[in-house]
């Protein structure tokens, strides 16, 4: 509904806001005209409201017309609003709206003030060397963190709103002369199609941005660190920032990203390469060690060296459970302890560690319920899982799946399961980019930042796996 | 139009998948006929395949059409469908023998304590799943699997090196008649060059594509020839009794005494690539059935192809020797015709202007 020159009529149109006690309708007299200031008192900066809105407004004299009203405010974030629905949206977003009798628009002032967390190091990606700043829940702060790192006119933020009730601010961020326009179009299309009552976290949008095909692997990358996000958009990706979430989304996503740690880029390439291979080896160990051990114990004893076999035989003597049940049981205990330690308050966490590690583990072995090799294998596999924390959930599921397969079919079943996983992964795509790139399909140029980490100076081209617009960094023909 | 595959992927496809199925039972089959000249058998088969590959390459270079489009343009839609149906049957047959020997291998070598066919059955689940995937999946799998094939193969060769008597292959050529006979009987295992027919028009030809493809096929052949030499050098006169060559080769290395069957790492790597290699004939069979019967649902052809293979696998579960005999005796000619003779004619087919946009070879893009 349009804002009219009749203040009473406008007030009636905005009556649905009057039900809530935190919305203030302040009647004013500006010169000889009556006016109405509307704002949500808990989310506006009252000092700014007084200084930038009320003081100049109350200083006006005589009959107030459109131009006088507009010109008297020096607030840099003022704008004209012509629809009552828009007035409601803006009030609920922390703006102050001034309506005046005889003026057919409302003046909106950006005087929002939200309580926000201080910038801190994100707990999910800590580094020894390198920037420690992490995103917070405030979108403007996150935008400022990115802009501070990339002072280029090519860096673009496009704002949108998602969620029917929450009307959460969403910002699409990209580098204009690098990003693939088709990708950008697809991201915008998918965001437009989001029909949900509230977007409480960026993970809500991640599900809409992913393809509909069910998969245990994610199709959208995420980061909590502005330096990582900047490096990703420099490669031609699109980032999506969501107000209220400290986690930014990035697309397209490659599986390899999860094996790359921020510290790899701040340390020497040699140690980064070693660290990446250790992560890969750990993931393979985490996934396959329990399954291979169970299948070797059950079906393929010839796989185990004789001396080790004798140790195992001695340790499993008297264990009432079969190797697969024993492993499954230990796996279950590990997962329960893991879940409990994540959910429990920090001060109880220590108790859980002691109860889990010492009491449960030690006692179970001493009581002859589980054998030491099984306990050791599950513990090692569990630790290995956390070398790539981003993949913890899918790997944990696969570990259980492989364990069941190995316990029932043995090593050939395991090969079939791994092969099926390979088929699934090689066919999965994120925004038309294969998840397994640069290995399948093989992209030679991208291998220098894969498991092998090349020198920074060597890395003068953007990933060819992504369909970015200009493939070379510092290309002379491209405007910066 | 963006092509599903790249030349590199075709090359890696041949390195990853072509030699694998020839490393299990074939060496003992060849040894029984050609004795110390088994490697010459492999050379003859390789030469035959290379000629076919060269001709298919020429056909690929001549036009950008897929094999089906080429057939349609030469023989019309019905003629094309008939030939494709025959090829679908051929692929079903081509995949059958390696499946049987793989099943036996899994049963007798991997599950010594509990030999049963049931452990092999999950293979059909993988094959079914692969059959639902588009052609680019094969290229991407080749990008990964060649590493496993080579790593597994080199490890086994390295472990068996100390036990090989290379002098055992001398004197060369005394069993040349046996070698020629063996090469005829081993046509079932060879003829992987035929896959290139079905990649026609589906891959972007890069500079010197033909040379690269032929060299990769030569490499895959060399892998088999070396394996044959190692096999005869290790077992000599009792070689024909060693059914599953590659697992037997490295058994006697001294390393195994200290670290257990370390060679199983290599065997498992080879088995990993082998699962895809075995599923490939069924995969191409499905794609041809999709075209021949214009199947809209992607599920039907994988059910038919895998169902038939599963049925015969179960039906002939105790008849590996009989199956091998029948295939060598009665089907060798079929394999010669479909793998090596019919593809030669592709170069003579004059393609009419094809109006179909896109790839008619992808009826069920998933």
């Amino acid at each position: 509904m349009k804002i009219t020159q009749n203040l009473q009529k406008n007030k009636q149109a905005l009556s649905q806001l009057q039900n809530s006690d935190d919305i203030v309708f302040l009647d004013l007299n500006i010169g000889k005209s009556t006016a109405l200031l509307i704002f949500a008192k808990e989310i506006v900066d009252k000092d700014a409201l007084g200084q930038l809105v009320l003081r100049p407004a109350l200083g006006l004299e005589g009959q107030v017309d459109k131009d006088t009203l507009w010109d008297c405010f020096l607030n840099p974030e003022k704008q004209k609003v012509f629809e009552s629905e828009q007035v409601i949206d803006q009030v609920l977003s922390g703006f102050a709206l001034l309506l005046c009798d005889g003026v057919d628009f409302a003046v909106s002032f950006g005087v929002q003030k939200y309580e926000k967390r201080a910038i801190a190091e994100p707990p999910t990606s800590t580094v020894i060397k390198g920037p420690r700043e992490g995103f917070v829940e405030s979108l403007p702060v996150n935008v400022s963190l990115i802009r501070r790192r990339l002072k280029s006119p090519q860096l673009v933020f496009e704002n949108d709103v998602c969620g029917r009730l929450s009307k959460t601010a969403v910002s699409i961020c990209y580098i204009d002369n690098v990003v693939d326009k088709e990708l950008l179009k697809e991201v915008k299309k998918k965001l437009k199609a989001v029909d949900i009552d509230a977007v409480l976290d960026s993970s809500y949008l991640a599900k809409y941005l992913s393809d509909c095909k069910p998969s245990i692997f994610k199709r959208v990358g995420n980061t909590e660190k502005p330096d990582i996000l900047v490096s990703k958009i420099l490669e031609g990706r699109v980032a999506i920032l969501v107000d209220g979430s400290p986690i930014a989304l990035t697309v397209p996503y490659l599986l390899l990203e999860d094996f790359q740690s921020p510290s790899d880029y701040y340390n020497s390439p040699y140690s980064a390469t070693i660290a990446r291979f250790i992560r890969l080896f750990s993931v393979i160990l985490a996934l396959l060690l329990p399954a291979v051990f169970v299948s070797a114990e059950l079906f393929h004893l010839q796989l185990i060296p004789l001396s080790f076999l004798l140790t195992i035989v001695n340790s499993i003597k008297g264990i009432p459970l079969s190797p697969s049940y024993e492993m499954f049981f230990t796996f279950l205990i590990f997962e329960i302890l893991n879940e409990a330690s994540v959910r429990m308050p920090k001060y109880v966490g220590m108790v859980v560690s002691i109860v889990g590690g010492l009491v449960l583990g030690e006692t179970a072995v001493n009581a002859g319920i589980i054998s030491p090799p099984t306990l050791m294998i599950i513990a090692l596999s569990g630790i290995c899982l956390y070398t790539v924390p981003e993949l913890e959930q899918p790997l944990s599921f696969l570990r259980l799946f492989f364990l069941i397969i190995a316990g029932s079919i043995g090593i050939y079943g395991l090969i079939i399961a791994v092969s099926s996983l390979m088929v699934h992964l090689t066919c999965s795509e994120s925004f038309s980019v294969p998840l397994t790139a640069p290995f399948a399909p093989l992209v030679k140029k991208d291998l220098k930042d894969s498991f092998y980490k090349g020198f920074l100076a060597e890395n003068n081209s953007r990933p060819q796996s992504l369909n970015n617009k200009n493939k070379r960094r510092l290309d002379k023909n491209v405007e910066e | 139009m963006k092509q599903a595959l790249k030349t590199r992927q075709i090359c890696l496809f041949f390195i990853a998948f072509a030699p694998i199925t020839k490393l299990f039972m074939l060496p003992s089959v060849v040894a029984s006929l050609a004795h110390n000249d088994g490697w010459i058998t492999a050379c003859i088969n390789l030469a035959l395949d290379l000629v076919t590959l060269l001709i298919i390459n020429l056909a690929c270079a001549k036009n950008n059409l897929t094999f089906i489009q080429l057939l349609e343009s030469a023989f019309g839609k019905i003629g094309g469908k008939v030939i494709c149906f025959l090829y679908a049957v051929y692929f079903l047959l081509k995949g059958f023998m390696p499946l049987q020997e793989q099943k036996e291998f899994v049963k007798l070598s991997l599950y010594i304590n509990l030999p049963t066919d049931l452990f092999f059955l999950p293979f059909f689940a993988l094959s079914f799943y692969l059959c639902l995937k588009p052609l680019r999946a094969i290229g991407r799998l080749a990008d990964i699997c060649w590493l496993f094939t080579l790593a597994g193969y080199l490890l086994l060769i390295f472990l068996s090196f100390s036990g090989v008597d290379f002098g055992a292959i001398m004197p060369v050529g005394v069993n040349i008649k046996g070698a020629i006979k063996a090469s005829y009987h081993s046509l079932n295992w060879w003829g992987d060059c035929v896959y290139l027919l079905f990649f026609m028009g589906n891959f972007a030809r890069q500079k010197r594509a033909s040379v690269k493809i032929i060299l990769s096929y030569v490499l895959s052949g060399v892998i088999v020839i070396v394996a044959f030499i190692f096999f005869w050098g290790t077992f000599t006169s009792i070689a024909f009794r060693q059914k599953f060559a590659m697992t037997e080769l490295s058994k006697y290395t001294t390393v195994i005494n200290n670290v257990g069957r370390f060679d199983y790492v290599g065997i498992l790597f080879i088995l990993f690539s082998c699962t895809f290699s075995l599923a490939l004939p069924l995969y191409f069979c499905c794609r041809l059935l999709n075209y021949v019967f214009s199947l809209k649902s992607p599920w039907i052809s994988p059910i038919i192809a895998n169902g038939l293979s599963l049925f015969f696998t179960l039906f002939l579960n105790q008849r590996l020797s009989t199956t091998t005999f029948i295939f060598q005796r009665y089907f060798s000619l079929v394999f010669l015709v479909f793998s090596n003779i019919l593809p030669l004619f592709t170069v003579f087919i004059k393609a009419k202007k094809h109006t179909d946009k896109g790839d008619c070879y992808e009826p069920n893009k998933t």
Side-chain angles (χ1 to χ4, degrees):
Chain A
M1 200 178 144
K2 284 244 183 264
I3 301 286
T4 62
Q5 291 189 346
N6 186 329
L7 187 61
Q8 284 309 314
K9 222 173 165 181
N10 292 336
K11 201 173 178 180
Q12 267 178 5
L14 301 169
S15 60
Q16 56 175 304
L17 283 176
Q18 288 174 321
N19 299 335
S20 184
D21 289 341
D22 68 322
I23 311 291
V24 176
F25 279 66
L26 188 64
D27 292 312
L28 303 166
N29 285 316
I30 302 175
K32 286 180 182 169
S33 305
T34 52
L36 177 67
L37 182 68
I38 314 170
F39 57 91
K41 64 181 176 187
E42 307 302 345
I43 51 173
V44 295
D45 183 349
K46 291 179 190 87
D47 288 341
L49 190 70
Q51 289 293 328
L52 299 171
V53 182
L54 288 174
R55 180 174 280 191
L58 295 173
L60 286 174
E61 287 174 0
Q63 199 69 37
V64 177
D65 61 4
K66 283 181 192 178
D67 297 331
T68 329
L69 186 71
W70 181 251
D71 292 339
C72 81
F73 300 108
L74 294 171
N75 190 322
E77 279 188 71
K78 65 175 181 180
Q79 66 178 100
K80 289 176 184 174
V81 177
F82 295 95
E83 300 283 340
S84 58
E85 290 80 8
Q86 221 180 333
V87 170
I88 293 170
D89 285 349
Q90 293 230 354
V91 169
L92 296 176
S93 301
F95 290 78
L97 273 293
L98 183 68
L99 293 110
C100 191
D101 206 20
V103 178
D104 61 352
F105 61 81
V107 186
S108 153
F109 303 96
V111 285
Q112 309 98 306
K113 190 187 180 186
Y114 294 100
E115 286 305 319
K116 54 181 177 270
R117 185 165 61 90
I119 294 169
E121 186 171 21
T124 53
S125 49
T126 50
V127 287
I128 297 168
K129 283 180 189 172
R132 291 195 167 79
E133 279 181 338
F135 286 130
V136 291
E137 285 75 5
S138 162
L139 181 61
V141 173
N142 293 345
V143 169
S144 72
L145 288 174
I146 298 168
R147 182 63 81 183
R148 205 179 79 195
R149 283 171 172 80
L150 215 56
K151 298 168 191 77
S152 164
Q154 299 292 342
L155 173 66
V156 178
F157 290 93
E158 279 187 39
N159 295 333
D160 204 344
V161 169
C162 277
R164 281 193 191 190
L165 291 179
S166 66
K167 297 203 169 58
T168 310
V170 173
S171 186
I172 303 170
C173 165
Y174 56 89
I175 299 178
D176 197 37
N177 59 355
V178 176
V179 76
D180 174 25
K181 296 292 178 204
E182 283 301 311
L183 167 71
L184 193 61
K185 218 165 100 182
E186 206 181 330
V187 170
K188 284 180 188 171
K189 197 176 127 191
K190 284 194 173 173
L191 281 179
K192 276 268 175 294
V194 174
D195 191 15
I196 185 173
D197 55 351
V199 178
L200 303 179
D201 183 58
S202 57
S203 60
Y204 281 49
L205 291 183
K207 291 178 183 67
Y208 284 88
L209 289 167
S210 309
D211 292 332
C212 299
K213 286 175 194 166
S215 174
I216 55 166
F217 290 93
K218 61 184 183 186
R219 306 291 168 93
V220 177
N222 59 54
T223 179
E224 273 194 88
K225 293 183 63 119
D227 52 321
I228 299 297
L229 186 119
V230 167
S231 75
K232 286 190 177 183
I233 57 173
L234 276 170
E235 289 178 344
R237 289 186 177 87
V238 173
I240 298 123
L241 303 161
V242 176
D243 195 31
S245 174
I247 296 169
L249 307 175
T250 53
V251 287
Y253 159 75
L254 304 178
L255 197 62
L256 179 70
E257 285 175 44
D258 289 336
F259 288 87
Q260 297 166 331
S261 155
S263 54
D264 293 350
Y265 297 90
Y266 309 127
N267 291 332
S268 92
Y270 304 113
S271 56
T273 304
I274 293 169
R276 282 182 185 180
F277 273 102
I278 287 174
R279 275 174 226 140
L280 175 69
F281 180 67
S282 305
V283 164
I284 295 169
L285 217 59
L287 266 183
L288 298 178
L289 187 63
V292 170
F293 184 72
V294 164
S295 63
E297 241 185 320
L298 279 173
F299 304 103
H300 322 284
L301 286 170
Q302 70 272 28
L303 281 177
I304 309 170
L306 188 65
S307 50
F308 187 36
L309 189 64
L310 291 174
T311 314
I312 293 171
V313 169
N314 286 330
S315 63
I316 62 171
K317 211 182 279 173
I319 303 286
L321 303 168
S322 75
S324 49
Y325 280 118
E326 187 195 355
M327 190 67 83
F328 185 73
F329 176 66
T330 320
F331 176 84
L332 203 67
I333 291 174
F334 179 83
E335 285 300 314
I336 291 169
L337 282 173
N338 185 19
E339 193 61 23
S341 61
V342 172
R343 306 267 168 263
M344 274 189 181
K346 268 186 185 166
Y347 50 86
V348 196
M350 191 73 100
V351 180
V352 174
S353 310
I354 294 166
V355 171
L358 294 176
V359 182
L360 269 177
E362 187 94 20
T363 318
V365 170
N366 288 339
I369 298 169
I370 51 174
S371 61
T374 307
L375 192 66
M376 199 195 84
I377 281 168
I378 284 291
L380 180 63
S381 155
I383 292 165
C384 286
L385 211 62
Y386 287 96
T387 52
V388 185
E390 284 290 323
L391 288 175
E392 188 260 327
Q393 284 179 358
L395 292 186
S396 198
F397 170 79
L398 284 172
R399 196 164 60 132
L400 176 63
F401 176 67
F402 287 168
L403 188 59
I404 293 168
I405 294 280
S408 45
I409 312 174
I411 206 95
Y412 192 68
L414 199 58
I415 288 175
I416 296 292
V418 173
S419 306
S420 306
L421 175 69
M422 201 56 80
V423 174
H424 173 73
L425 281 176
T426 50
C427 292
S428 301
E429 292 185 346
S430 163
F431 287 82
S432 307
V433 175
L435 222 60
T436 45
F439 305 106
L442 191 68
V443 184
K444 273 190 233 160
K445 276 193 177 173
D446 290 2
L447 291 179
K448 61 187 166 202
D449 191 17
S450 56
F451 290 119
Y452 157 70
K453 169 80 184 74
F455 284 91
L456 196 63
E458 280 175 26
N459 207 1
N460 52 6
S461 58
R462 297 196 167 83
Q464 316 286 302
S465 320
L466 312 175
N467 303 320
N468 38 31
K469 219 160 62 178
N470 61 73
K471 302 280 182 194
R472 262 182 71 83
R473 294 169 196 262
L474 305 176
D475 197 335
K476 280 175 188 162
N477 302 322
V478 178
E479 192 186 330
E480 280 163 30
Chain B
M1 192 182 69
K2 205 180 171 185
Q3 303 284 10
L5 299 168
K6 294 194 162 60
T7 308
R8 182 203 65 242
Q9 288 177 325
I10 308 273
C11 297
L12 294 179
F13 171 89
F14 284 128
I15 295 169
F17 302 130
I20 289 287
T21 47
K22 301 173 188 102
L23 299 180
F24 288 92
M25 220 172 81
L26 184 62
S28 70
V29 170
V30 168
S32 66
L33 293 166
H35 305 288
N36 63 326
D37 286 335
W39 66 276
I40 296 179
T41 305
C43 290
I44 295 168
N45 286 108
L46 177 63
L48 200 64
D49 279 1
L50 284 177
V51 172
T52 315
L53 199 69
L54 189 72
I55 298 294
I56 301 173
N57 257 310
L58 284 176
C60 289
K62 239 173 75 173
N63 54 57
N64 284 326
L65 300 181
T66 64
F67 182 56
I68 291 174
Q69 287 169 340
L70 202 66
L71 289 177
E72 275 185 1
S73 79
F75 307 108
K77 209 150 194 159
I78 293 172
K81 285 198 173 190
V82 169
I83 296 173
C84 285
F85 180 72
L86 292 175
Y87 263 107
V89 177
Y90 157 79
F91 275 121
L92 212 54
L93 286 172
K94 184 175 167 58
F96 188 67
M97 259 316 291
L99 266 181
Q100 298 312 304
E101 56 177 79
Q102 191 68 23
K103 184 199 72 187
E104 280 302 293
F105 170 75
V106 168
K107 190 163 78 175
L108 299 178
S109 290
L110 287 184
Y111 295 91
I112 304 165
N113 308 325
L114 204 65
T116 161
D117 288 334
L118 289 175
F119 291 127
F120 182 68
L121 298 187
F123 163 79
F124 292 99
L126 168 72
S127 169
F128 180 83
Y129 184 48
L130 185 65
C131 289
L132 296 171
K133 299 293 173 189
L135 196 60
R136 64 173 182 273
I138 302 295
R140 288 180 191 172
L141 284 172
D143 273 333
I144 290 177
C145 287
W146 71 277
L147 272 173
F148 287 90
T149 304
L150 286 186
Y153 174 80
L154 291 174
L155 180 66
L156 293 181
I157 288 292
F158 175 73
L159 288 177
S160 59
F161 195 82
S162 57
V164 183
D165 170 19
F166 291 104
I169 60 165
M170 303 299 279
V172 177
V174 284
N175 291 304
I176 201 77
K177 270 187 184 171
I180 293 167
K181 194 177 173 193
S183 74
Y184 178 71
H185 284 309
S186 51
L187 282 168
N188 177 17
W189 284 272
W190 290 83
D192 293 313
C193 52
V194 80
Y195 289 125
L196 190 63
L197 267 189
F198 298 89
F199 292 141
M200 248 173 102
N202 282 306
F203 70 99
R205 283 184 70 83
Q206 292 164 345
K207 213 175 166 186
R208 282 189 279 180
S210 303
V211 178
K212 286 174 187 168
I213 291 169
I214 287 170
L215 281 179
S216 66
Y217 202 86
V218 169
L219 179 61
S220 83
V222 168
I223 287 173
V224 181
I225 293 165
V226 172
F228 278 21
I229 293 171
F230 269 67
F231 181 63
W232 183 262
T234 307
F235 297 109
T236 58
S237 54
I238 58 159
F240 70 96
R241 284 179 184 273
Q242 310 297 322
K243 256 189 183 172
F244 303 113
M246 285 314 274
T247 49
E248 305 298 320
L249 271 181
S250 50
K251 217 172 174 175
Y252 307 107
T253 178
T254 47
V255 181
I256 284 170
N257 296 332
N258 303 321
V259 293
R261 288 298 300 269
F262 182 66
D263 58 325
Y264 262 76
V265 176
I267 294 169
L268 295 180
F269 276 9
I270 285 185
L271 269 180
F272 174 72
S273 295
C274 194
T275 50
F276 299 116
S277 185
L278 291 174
L280 281 172
L282 297 176
Y283 178 84
F284 284 99
C285 173
C286 289
R287 296 174 70 81
L288 289 168
L289 288 178
N290 280 339
Y291 163 71
V292 172
F293 298 108
S294 308
L295 298 173
K296 291 277 179 281
S297 165
W299 300 86
I300 298 172
S301 59
I303 290 173
I304 295 170
N306 288 288
L308 279 173
S309 288
L310 176 62
F311 172 75
F312 285 111
T313 303
L314 293 176
F315 186 69
L316 298 167
N317 64 337
Q318 302 293 335
R319 303 268 185 277
L320 181 66
S321 308
T322 320
T323 320
T324 314
F325 174 76
I326 293 171
F327 266 72
Q328 285 180 351
R329 176 110 190 178
Y330 301 107
F331 288 108
S332 291
L333 190 65
V334 176
F335 289 116
L336 183 69
V337 169
F338 281 90
S339 309
N340 301 100
I341 297 175
L342 283 182
L344 299 180
F345 294 101
T346 48
V347 80
F348 302 113
I349 296 175
K350 273 191 181 168
K352 288 169 200 161
K353 206 173 183 182
H354 207 278
T355 50
D356 235 9
K357 285 269 178 198
D359 180 12
C360 73
Y361 196 52
E362 294 262 4
N364 59 337
K365 276 187 179 166
T366 49

